[in-house]
Amino acid sequence: MGRPRVEVGGLDEELRAAIVHEYGRRREEGSDPRWRIEALCTEPPSASDPAERLLRAAAALTAAGLAPKPPVSCGEARHQGDGTYDVIGYGPGGGEVHVSTLCRFAAGRGGEPHVRRALESAGFRWIDDAVGSIRVTGLGVYHFGSRDPLDVDTLLFHWQD
């Protein structure tokens, strides 16, 4: 089978653990079997309380003066489906933050640096465009009719109707 795991340039251990333990066990069509082996042979990320994580994110946005709305699941935000993140809307301009259910990851849709700073100060890891664009190869995850390699952003903040 070659190397003991599928190497993905730029994918650090924290990201890798979240992704492998969410998607690697499923052994979906087109997946390299090494993802499943890694999922079975490695420890999953530390469990954390999703409700506490959302409260912490909302508190950080409130402290930054951004008037967050109550968090909703991605399925509720999109009016159908399910996925691996919750959405917290904020401010009058319709900004939103995505908080991954897989670990301490967050990303913004609006790009305000003060949102990133607020969440990082609350212990979140901000997924910027550079990290989010890392393509994870050999892992077949169904995404709107395809199992082509997905990027980190899509895997951490995955939605499917």
Side-chain angles (χ1 to χ4, degrees), residues 37-101:
I37 293 167
E38 184 176 345
L40 294 171
C41 295
T42 61
E43 291 295 318
S46 299
S48 65
D49 180 8
E52 181 278 330
R53 192 169 42 237
L54 291 173
L55 286 172
R56 194 164 27 96
L61 294 171
T62 298
L66 295 169
K69 298 176 175 104
V72 295
S73 70
C74 60
E76 187 177 338
R78 293 179 177 260
H79 308 291
Q80 63 186 4
D82 195 18
T84 62
Y85 67 98
D86 294 293
V87 177
I88 303 176
Y90 65 87
E96 62 182 42
V97 170
H98 295 175
V99 178
S100 181
T101 60

Side-chain angles (χ1 to χ4, degrees), residues 122-154:
F124 288 89
R125 179 173 174 188
W126 193 260
I127 303 301
D128 61 19
D129 291 341
V131 171
S133 67
I134 296 168
R135 183 119 354 242
V136 179
T137 56
L139 186 60
V141 176
Y142 184 81
H143 188 68
F144 295 99
S146 174
R147 283 190 175 78
D148 292 336
L150 297 174
D151 59 27
V152 166
D153 184 75
T154 303

Side-chain angles (χ1 to χ4, degrees), residues 5-50:
R5 69 183 199 173
V6 177
E7 293 300 328
V8 177
L11 190 66
D12 65 42
E13 293 305 315
E14 182 181 27
L15 292 167
R16 186 178 190 93
I19 290 168
V20 77
H21 285 281
E22 177 65 18
Y23 302 105
R25 293 178 186 266
R26 296 183 194 166
R27 182 64 183 105
E28 288 199 37
E29 180 182 320
S31 286
D32 186 311
R34 294 177 292 173
W35 284 110
R36 180 159 171 72
I37 293 167
E38 184 176 345
L40 294 171
C41 295
T42 61
E43 291 295 318
S46 299
S48 65
D49 180 8

Side-chain angles (χ1 to χ4, degrees), residues 102-115:
L102 304 185
C103 203
R104 62 183 192 104
F105 308 116
R109 305 300 183 246
E112 295 88 354
H114 59 290
V115 174

